[in-house]
Amino acid sequence: MGVRARNGGGYSNWRNSPPTGPWVPPPPRTPSSVSVTRGDSTLTAEWPAAAGAASYHITYSPDGGQDWYLAAFEHTATTITIHGVSTTPPT
């Protein structure tokens, strides 16, 4: 950005700011909730759109949080169905 002054005698020289680099948007908000429905070897998740989100990364754990798997990367919808998942609740 540059700034210069002006009066009846003309303009001053420019004063430039240091480079600021490209504008980077702030991170998106966290989805406010997520609901999961178990089906026959499926998990279906739905969530409200998060402000500022362009896409979502979705992970799931079929064993209560011990192991995690990536279900989708750069997913743009606010619902997903994961097939071939053991849906037996952990004991």
Side-chain angles (χ1 to χ4, degrees), residues 2-89:
V3 176
R4 69 179 179 171
R6 179 186 178 278
N7 67 15
Y11 291 93
S12 70
N13 291 325
W14 284 98
R15 175 61 61 194
N16 295 320
S17 69
T20 58
W23 181 78
V24 177
R29 299 261 184 188
T30 301
S32 60
S33 63
V34 61
S35 64
V36 177
T37 305
R38 293 177 182 271
D40 185 23
S41 298
T42 64
L43 293 174
T44 299
E46 296 181 68
W47 58 94
S55 64
Y56 304 91
H57 295 181
I58 296 100
T59 60
Y60 69 97
S61 175
D63 56 12
Q66 186 167 344
D67 297 303
W68 288 89
Y69 301 95
L70 180 66
F73 184 79
E74 303 293 336
H75 188 72
T76 57
T78 58
T79 184
I80 189 170
T81 298
I82 305 162
H83 297 274
V85 177
S86 170
T87 57
T88 304

